[in-house]
């Protein structure tokens, strides 16, 4: 690899050709302040439009200042990163940005966690000259089921646009208007609800300011908890336990399952259950469905639809409803674990504790923003009463716990309640990309071959590459499995299916990078993908520590079928645990 | 072919057409037919003659009579008197303002004497909708010479030798640009002609495209040959429908004749041209924004490097040149680099087309050799300041340029001299300002434009320019402070230093150059709340002169806000706190009793 | 229209089309051609100046003499109409009177081609706006 030598702040360094000044400086330990720049190396995402001009540096021989995030280091370059000229420029530019930004930090959802706020502190901004008469660009605030868009706070960093268009290939938002009134949003400035947005929340995950935030449901949860007439039940997704600790200062990847249960109990939830239980349930249903289709296919049935696609990710469901509606009958008809849980909780469990449906409130803790949208989908309601009343994110839960003055770190480890709290290792790994299909494989293998698996860890299904392929040997029958995370990768696999070129029998798709652990509702990783890796490690460790690691061996699952559902894909199971999909291709109406 | 004895050349540029020059063509043709002269006299609609102040222009050839301010009703007289009876229509001849004489041949007019028309050689001469006329004037010979006698390297050398520099504003050596593009290999390369011409008041490129479209097509093909490109794209602003129409006709005709397409002149070379329309964005004149606009993306500039020569349209090597740059190419090939580089100054060869506008007598389009002084342009060619007012400044380079003053008048115009003087050549806009122009208001005018046109990608331009504008606005309203003047300077420097593209990097130029050259005016606005030039309305007071006022109450009746009070037959009074300075009262007063001070 | 397949085709086409623009070309820089101005005032027209002009145009083209022929106003010599003014490149202009077709032919053959003065020259005794110096007979 060709190398170039250059000097930064009187220090010499040799880097590979093509390295930017910013990265070269980082190698030398020189930290240049940035704002719009974001690098998610392992996912192949780098956002460097060179728009904020905060990272500018002085380059000898160049007339103006250069943006270090997007200027290539060349042989012999002499760079100064913190001269007075640069500092003056950075401050003045930040003053410009702040002059067009609302000053409501006190009530802003991102206060304390805002990159613009951090930068203002770092550069020591004390006043913004001319603010008294400065015009500000104003927009209507847009409330959708999952996220809130407050474009007054948009600083045009284009991270959300990049995630939505290039990584997720959803294309719901892009820059609109010119000049001072420019911001990023859906076409024709329509509400995001009417756009092809899948609510994957990746835009929220990367937004440096409070322009994109999640819809807050903590108020609703507090109301429910404070209402003595309600029985409030909570379910927690697998990805929460691997990331919640970060909000309390713990190292990324610290497992806080027991403490989390403890905190939830102290918050006042009547029953603390585990979504992982419902994940096991999902495997029962989906695994059976997979085997059903597979057997037909292996017996020569040409009409059966393969590959089967997982359907537990609502952003992914929304994606194919918008983009590939003709293929609505290919994904599994099984509902997501969140929804299966809600459905069972308000029937099986409500009967057990003799509480009326209307008096039972089901809250879910999810790493996801799309779950908020999923919970209010009409098909998941019975006579207007939703199966899942409120879905709150990991971040919102952390707020609640802090509000209740609980220190997560020092809480005792407690166990989930039963009968909806017991889960196997297969349920836990739902949180990572590859986990759902691995869980399904563990069950499907044993059900199909009738044999016990020797090696339960299907390591070939794990990892962070965007698209992964593996073949699992079902006792002589090779089953081809595909895995994609990130909707851009999902699109590629779907296009293959559309063209009839797909080689897979089963495909798992997660909308978020890394799977649910990288969800839009998780603690912000601000572009550090080592955090995603650490969370992933925690998930697989939790699985390895479990005694029961196959869904069909979960005793409470077995009991649920015996007592209530009958068998997988029974009529009752169909009614409560399965669903269908809709053609949601966007039609733009210009009135 | 009919052998015509006489020609009536009617200017068909947009300016004259707005004054019904197409009706003049119709009427002339009709009159000639009525008199049975259609076989002897031909009426041709040509491109722009440049003397827009005196349009519509009709030139009679071969006696070179230059008629000005012609109306459609004059056609009968022209035919009857001049064509048939041989008598010139005196009242339509140009009158020299100083000598008070009629001048019939344009060669003797001060406006034309010092002009050398190279880029505009065919404008006003040929019918731009007729390829035959272009060919009759050596059209496509240069392309033929390149394809049959020269190698691509020869062509590049010739352009390099000529010293031609980009006419769009950048002034980058054209030959060097072609050379860099030729060295980058790819399966497809592109030649792009930048016809976006966004500077307010600039119409050099428009006139060339309307008056001589083939000059650009031929040059693009020559460029394609030299760098290995087979496709040409002309990005033209949608606000130029006539130029678009003429280009379409020209492209169709060239294809028909085999001058565009495959195997041109029997060689292996193929080249074709496509039109792409802009959609009203000044920023799309910046080459990377232009390219992205053509790719169907948002018209925003991206960081250079990589330069378009390396990675341009669709990621392929692309050469982008301005219309006027291209207009010079075939002449250089035909007459040789050494003919061209004898014209101009040491570092700026050839001529430059300028759009002369503002407070000047001869408003229009001129082409002068580099090295002509500003004084010559303004006072000789331009005919001096209108209404005998005093010259104050000349703004060159549009919203990216600066103001040059009295002490710069003897500067020979070229790329480097104008830069050194604190302005720039830009694309050729030249706006003359007189004693009644306020320099603060002028800076504000340009910022208003750039604020509107900023793409919004980078913070310093998107927000910084807006803040500059707000400050200037306050100063013109008497709300500025001395500290604000300091801030103006700092903000301008930072915006220049940090903006992503040329728009932001040059938008503070009008502010900086007026601060430098007209500091006193700024201070007057701030400290005395006065506008010395009398332009900033908010600082002016409308006052009734008691001695002149007869108390007719006419002004009070016409005032829309009821600011004027007074008894009948008594001197009236305007309340400055209510007055909105609309000027209705001044227009109404028959006794010159109201003044603005 | 025929397609242009080679550079030779283009050059031939240009030659054929030259006539379309050459009058305008010459008019722009007439000093290198023979300039003939034919008086076309009322008296001129009445005495047949138009026919003389048509003849001159045709004859000069046939005899391959590069010339710019234009009509002009009253030259003032009403008694000697039709009058024509002939200026050879680099020489003083000379006015001829009583020019009919026969005389015009003579002027072409003798004066224009061979420089021999012909009868009927009218001395000029006034200055035209475009003239720089007095003309003497």
């Amino acid at each position: 690899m060709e190398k170039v030598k250059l000097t930064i702040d009187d220090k010499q360094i040799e880097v590979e050709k093509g390295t930017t000044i910013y990265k070269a400086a980082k190698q030398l330990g020189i930290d240049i302040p940035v704002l719009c720049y974001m690098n998610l190396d392992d996912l192949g995402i780098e956002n460097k439009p060179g728009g904020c001009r905060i990272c500018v540096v002085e380059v000898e021989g160049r007339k103006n200042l250069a943006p270090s995030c997007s200027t290539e280091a060349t042989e012999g370059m002499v760079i100064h990163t913190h001269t007075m000229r640069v500092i003056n420029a950075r401050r003045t530019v930040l003053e410009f940005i702040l002059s067009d930004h609302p000053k409501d930090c006190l009530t802003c959802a991102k206060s304390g966690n805002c990159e613009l706020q951090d930068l203002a502190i770092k550069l020591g901004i004390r006043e913004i000259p001319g603010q008294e008469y400065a015009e500000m660009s104003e927009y209507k605030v847009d409330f959708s089921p999952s996220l809130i868009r407050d474009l007054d706070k948009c600083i045009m960093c284009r991270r959300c646009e990049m995630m939505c268009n290039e990584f997720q290939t959803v294309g719901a938002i892009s820059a609109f208007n010119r000049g001072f009134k420019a911001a990023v949003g859906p076409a024709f400035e329509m509400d995001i609800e009417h756009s092809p947005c899948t609510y994957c929340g990746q835009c929220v995950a990367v937004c440096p300011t409070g322009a994109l935030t999640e819809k807050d449901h903590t108020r609703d949860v507090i109301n429910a908890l404070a209402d003595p007439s309600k029985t409030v039940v909570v379910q927690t997704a697998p990805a929460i336990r691997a990331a919640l600790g970060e909000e309390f200062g713990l190292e990324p990847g610290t497992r806080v399952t027991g403490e989390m249960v403890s905190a939830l109990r102290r918050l006042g939830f009547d029953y603390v259950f585990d979504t992982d239980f419902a994940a096991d349930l999902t495997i029962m249903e989906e695994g059976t469905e997979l085997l059903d289709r597979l057997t037909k296919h292996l017996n020569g049935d040409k009409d059966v639809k393969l590959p089967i696609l997982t359907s537990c990710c609502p952003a992914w469901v929304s994606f194919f409803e918008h983009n590939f509606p003709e293929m609505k009958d290919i994904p599994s008809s099984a509902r997501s674990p969140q929804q299966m849980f809600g459905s069972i909780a308000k029937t099986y469990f409500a009967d057990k504790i003799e509480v009326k449906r209307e008096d039972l409130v089901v809250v879910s803790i999810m790493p996801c923003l799309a779950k908020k949208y999923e919970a209010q989908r009409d098909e998941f309601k019975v006579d207007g009463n939703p199966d899942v009343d409120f879905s709150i994110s990991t971040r919102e839960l952390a707020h609640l716990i802090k509000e209740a003055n609980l220190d997560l770190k020092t809480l005792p480890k407690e166990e989930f309640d039963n009968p909806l709290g017991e889960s196997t290792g297969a349920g836990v790994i739902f949180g990572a990309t590859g986990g759902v299909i691995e869980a399904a494989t563990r069950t499907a293998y044993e059900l199909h071959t009738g044999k016990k698996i020797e090696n339960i860890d299907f390591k070939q299904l794990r990892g962070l590459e965007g698209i992964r392929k593996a073949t699992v040997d079902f006792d002589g029958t090779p089953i081809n499995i595909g895995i994609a995370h990130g909707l851009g990768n999902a699109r590629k696999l779907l296009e293959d299916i559309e063209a009839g070129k797909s080689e897979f029998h089963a495909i798992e798709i997660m909308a978020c990078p890394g799977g649910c652990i990288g969800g839009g509702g998780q603690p912000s990783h601000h572009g550090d993908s080592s955090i995603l890796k650490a969370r992933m490690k925690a998930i697989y460790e939790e699985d390895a520590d479990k005694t029961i690691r196959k869904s069909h061996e979960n005793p409470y699952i077995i009991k649920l079928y015996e007592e209530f559902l009958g068998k997988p894909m029974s009529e009752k199971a169909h009614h409560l645990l399965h669903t269908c999909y809709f053609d949601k291709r966007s039609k733009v109406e210009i009135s | 072919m009919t052998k015509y004895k006489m020609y009536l050349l009617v200017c068909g540029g947009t300016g004259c057409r707005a004054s019904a020059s197409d009706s003049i063509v119709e009427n002339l043709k009709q009159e000639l037919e009525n008199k049975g002269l259609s076989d002897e006299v031909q009426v041709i609609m040509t491109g722009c003659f440049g003397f827009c102040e005196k349009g519509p222009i009709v030139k009679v050839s071969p006696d070179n009579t230059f008629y000005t301010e012609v109306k459609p009703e004059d056609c009968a007289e022209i035919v009857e008197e001049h064509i048939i009876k041989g008598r010139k229509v005196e009242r339509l001849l140009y009158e020299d303002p100083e000598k008070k004489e009629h001048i019939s041949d344009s060669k003797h007019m001060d406006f034309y004497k010092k002009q050398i028309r190279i880029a505009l050689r065919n404008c006003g001469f040929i019918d731009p909708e007729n390829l035959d006329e272009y060919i009759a004037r050596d059209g496509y010979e240069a392309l033929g010479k390149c394809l049959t006698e020269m190698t691509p390297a020869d062509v590049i050398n010739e352009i390099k030798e000529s010293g031609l520099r980009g006419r769009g504003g950048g002034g980058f050596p054209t030959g060097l640009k072609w050379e860099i593009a030729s060295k980058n290999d790819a399966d497809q390369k592109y030649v792009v002609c930048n016809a976006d011409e966004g500077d307010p008041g600039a119409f050099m490129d428009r006139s060339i495209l309307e008056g001589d479209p083939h000059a650009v097509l031929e040059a693009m093909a020559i460029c394609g040959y030299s760098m290995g490109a087979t496709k040409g794209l002309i990005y033209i602003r949608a606000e130029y429908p006539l130029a678009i129409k003429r280009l379409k006709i020209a492209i169709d005709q060239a294809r028909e004749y085999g001058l565009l397409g495959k195997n041109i002149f029997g060689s292996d070379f193929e080249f074709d041209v496509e039109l792409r329309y802009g959609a009203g964005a000044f920023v799309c004149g910046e080459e990377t924004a232009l390219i992205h606009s053509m790719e169907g993306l948002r018209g925003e500039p991206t960081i250079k490097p990589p330069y378009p020569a390396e990675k341009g349209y669709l990621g392929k090597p692309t050469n982008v040149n301005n219309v006027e740059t291209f207009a010079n190419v075939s002449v250089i090939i035909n007459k040789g680099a050494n003919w061209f580089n004898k014209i101009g100054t040491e570092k700026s060869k050839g001529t430059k087309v300028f759009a002369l506008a503002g407070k000047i007598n001869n408003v229009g389009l001129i082409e002068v050799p580099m090295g002509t002084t500003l004084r010559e342009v303004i006072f000789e060619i331009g005919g001096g300041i209108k209404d005998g007012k005093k010259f104050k400044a000349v703004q060159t380079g549009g919203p990216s340029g600066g103001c040059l003053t009295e002490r710069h008048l003897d500067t020979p115009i070229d790329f480097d001299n104008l830069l050194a003087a604190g302005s720039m050549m830009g694309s050729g806009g030249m706006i003359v300002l007189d004693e009644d122009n306020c320099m603060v208001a002028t800076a504000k005018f340009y910022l208003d434009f750039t604020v509107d046109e900023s793409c919004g990608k980078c913070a310093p331009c998107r927000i910084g320019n807006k803040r500059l504008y707000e400050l200037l606005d306050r100063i013109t309203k008497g709300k500025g402070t001395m500290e604000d003047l300091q801030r103006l300077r700092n903000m301008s420097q930072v915006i220049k230093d940090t903006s992503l593209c040329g728009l932001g990097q040059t938008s503070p130029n009008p502010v900086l150059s007026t601060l430098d050259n007209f500091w006193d005016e700024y201070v007057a606005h701030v400290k005395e709340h006065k506008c010395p030039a009398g332009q900033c309305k908010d600082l002016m007071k409308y006052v009734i002169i008691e001695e002149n006022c007869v108390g007719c109450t006419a002004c009070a009746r016409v005032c829309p806000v009821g600011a004027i009070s007074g008894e009948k037959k008594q001197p009236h009074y305007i309340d400055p706190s209510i007055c909105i300075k609309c000027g209705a009262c001044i227009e109404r007063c028959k006794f010159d009793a109201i003044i603005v001070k | 229209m025929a397609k242009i397949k080679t550079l030779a085709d283009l050059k031939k086409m240009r030659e054929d089309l030259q006539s379309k623009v050459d009058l305008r070309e010459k008019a722009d820089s007439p000093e290198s051609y023979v300039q003939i101005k034919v008086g076309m005032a009322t008296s001129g027209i009445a005495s047949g100046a138009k026919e003389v002009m048509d003849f001159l145009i045709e004859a000069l083209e046939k005899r391959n003499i590069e010339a710019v022929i234009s009509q002009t106003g009253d030259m003032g010599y009403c008694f000697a109409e039709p009058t024509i003014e002939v200026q050879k490149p680099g020489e003083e202009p000379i006015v001829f009177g009583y020019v009919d077709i026969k005389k015009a032919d003579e002027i072409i053959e003798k004066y224009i081609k061979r420089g021999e003065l012909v009868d009927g020259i009218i001395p000029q005794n006034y200055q035209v706006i475009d003239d720089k110096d007095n003309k003497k007979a």
Side-chain angles (χ1 to χ4, degrees), chain B residues 381-436:
Chain B
I381 301 174
I385 310 297
K386 235 186 168 90
D387 299 329
K389 298 263 183 176
K390 195 166 172 303
F391 167 81
K392 189 163 185 185
V394 59
Q395 215 276 353
T396 65
S400 312
C403 296
L404 300 168
T405 61
E406 187 96 40
R407 62 193 171 95
H408 296 117
L409 278 176
D410 292 302
T411 311
I413 300 174
D414 81 359
F415 286 105
D416 306 291
N417 286 348
L418 288 179
L419 256 167
S423 179
M424 64 188 269
M425 179 88 73
S427 58
M430 220 187 245
I431 311 219
V432 178
L433 306 163
D434 70 9
E435 57 193 273
D436 292 335

Side-chain angles (χ1 to χ4, degrees), chain C residues 19-101:
Chain C
S19 57
K20 272 197 158 214
V21 298
D22 67 9
L23 194 54
R24 288 173 255 168
E25 292 246 22
K26 289 183 203 156
D28 237 20
S29 47
E31 308 74 39
S32 41
Y33 306 98
V34 176
Q35 292 174 74
I36 300 181
K37 295 197 180 103
V38 182
M40 286 281 227
T42 322
S43 40
I45 296 171
S47 27
K50 195 162 190 313
E51 290 77 21
V52 174
M53 183 162 170
D54 288 341
F55 168 75
L56 280 168
I57 293 174
E58 225 187 290
L60 285 163
E61 200 196 320
K62 271 215 195 93
R63 297 171 212 193
N64 259 316
I65 298 170
E66 298 261 40
V68 180
I69 303 124
S70 55
Q71 61 194 48
T72 181
D74 209 313
M75 282 197 247
Y77 313 113
C78 312
F79 58 92
E81 296 284 6
T83 51
I84 68 174
E85 181 193 275
V86 181
Q87 181 173 21
K88 288 172 63 167
E91 291 184 36
E92 296 292 315
I94 296 188
V95 181
F96 296 88
Y98 306 105
V99 180
D100 55 12
I101 292 186

Side-chain angles (χ1 to χ4, degrees), chain B residues 120-141:
Chain B
L120 298 175
R121 61 190 174 280
N122 284 329
C123 294
F125 205 94
I126 61 170
D127 176 1
E129 295 185 16
N130 191 342
L131 176 49
D132 285 348
E133 301 219 341
Y134 183 70
I135 289 178
R137 269 206 124 191
D138 301 341
Y140 288 100
E141 291 248 344

Side-chain angles (χ1 to χ4, degrees), chain B residues 430-556:
Chain B
M430 220 187 245
I431 311 219
V432 178
L433 306 163
D434 70 9
E435 57 193 273
D436 292 335
N437 284 105
C438 171
M439 299 317 284
V440 185
T442 303
K444 182 179 136 179
F445 165 77
Y446 281 115
L447 255 308
D448 190 22
F449 177 76
T450 36
V451 163
D452 210 31
E453 297 292 337
S454 164
C455 74
K457 183 167 178 178
C458 75
C461 177
R462 174 178 84 241
I463 310 173
N465 278 329
K466 181 93 173 156
R467 301 298 174 228
L468 269 186
Y469 173 80
E470 282 169 356
L471 257 185
L472 287 167
D473 188 47
R474 283 175 66 82
I475 293 172
T476 59
K477 293 191 167 124
K479 298 198 196 130
T481 64
M482 286 307 286
E483 200 188 87
D484 284 342
L485 296 184
Q486 256 328 102
R487 280 186 57 217
L488 266 183
R489 192 173 279 282
N490 183 46
M491 278 160 59
S492 298
Q493 298 282 24
V494 172
I495 294 170
K496 269 180 83 78
D497 222 4
T498 55
S499 286
L500 195 154
C501 83
L503 194 156
Q505 285 160 8
T506 57
S507 60
N509 283 347
V511 180
L512 287 171
S513 90
T514 48
L515 275 174
D516 282 338
N517 291 308
F518 297 95
W519 175 249
D520 294 334
E521 233 175 302
Y522 276 91
V523 173
H525 280 75
V526 166
K527 282 202 173 145
E528 298 159 52
H529 302 293
K530 270 195 156 38
C531 174
Q535 189 180 343
C536 297
K537 274 212 175 144
D538 291 276
L539 298 180
M540 311 303 297
K541 247 167 79 154
Y542 279 57
V543 175
I544 294 180
I545 307 172
E546 288 199 4
E547 301 85 65
N548 295 11
C549 176
V550 305
C552 71
T553 77
C555 58

Side-chain angles (χ1 to χ4, degrees), chain B residues 64 82-83 85 125 138 257, chain C residues 4 14 24 27 40 71:
Chain B
N64 268 2
H82 189 138
I83 311 282
K85 295 192 187 148
F125 205 94
D138 301 341
Y257 279 40
Chain C
I4 298 173
R14 189 200 41 177
R24 288 173 255 168
M40 286 281 227
Q71 61 194 48

Side-chain angles (χ1 to χ4, degrees), chain B residues 1 3-7 9 37 40 42 44 46 59 61-64 81-88 101-105 107-108 125-127 130-133 135-145 148-149 255-259 263-267, chain C residues 1-31 35-45 50 53-55 57-58 61 67-74 128-132:
Chain B
M1 230 173 306
K3 183 89 168 122
Y4 290 107
K5 262 190 9 222
M6 275 177 111
Y7 295 94
L9 304 169
L37 291 166
E40 295 178 34
Q42 193 185 18
I44 300 178
T46 67
K59 182 164 158 180
S61 197
D63 53 67
N64 268 2
E81 290 298 310
H82 189 138
I83 311 282
I84 297 180
K85 295 192 187 148
R87 292 200 283 246
K88 297 198 194 2
E101 290 173 336
H102 279 142
I103 300 180
S104 100
D105 191 332
K107 280 205 295 293
H108 303 299
F125 205 94
I126 61 170
D127 176 1
N130 191 342
L131 176 49
D132 285 348
E133 301 219 341
I135 289 178
R137 269 206 124 191
D138 301 341
Y140 288 100
E141 291 248 344
L143 179 60
K145 184 172 167 192
T148 56
E149 293 168 34
R255 282 187 189 143
E256 208 189 306
Y257 279 40
L259 297 163
N263 303 117
I264 303 177
F265 290 120
S267 72
Chain C
M1 268 284 190
K3 280 213 177 181
I4 298 173
K5 294 208 176 63
T6 64
L7 187 53
D9 285 347
L10 180 75
K11 292 198 177 181
K12 172 100 187 13
M13 195 176 225
R14 189 200 41 177
E15 270 175 43
D16 291 342
L17 291 166
Q18 221 39 112
S19 57
K20 272 197 158 214
V21 298
D22 67 9
L23 194 54
R24 288 173 255 168
E25 292 246 22
K26 289 183 203 156
D28 237 20
S29 47
E31 308 74 39
Q35 292 174 74
I36 300 181
K37 295 197 180 103
V38 182
M40 286 281 227
T42 322
S43 40
I45 296 171
K50 195 162 190 313
M53 183 162 170
D54 288 341
F55 168 75
I57 293 174
E58 225 187 290
E61 200 196 320
V68 180
I69 303 124
S70 55
Q71 61 194 48
T72 181
D74 209 313
V128 179
I129 193 166
D130 287 355
D131 282 357
K132 295 275 181 354

Side-chain angles (χ1 to χ4, degrees), chain B residues 351-362:
Chain B
T351 57
K352 180 77 189 77
V353 181
F354 289 102
L356 209 49
K359 303 284 183 71
I360 196 165
N361 279 319
N362 297 337

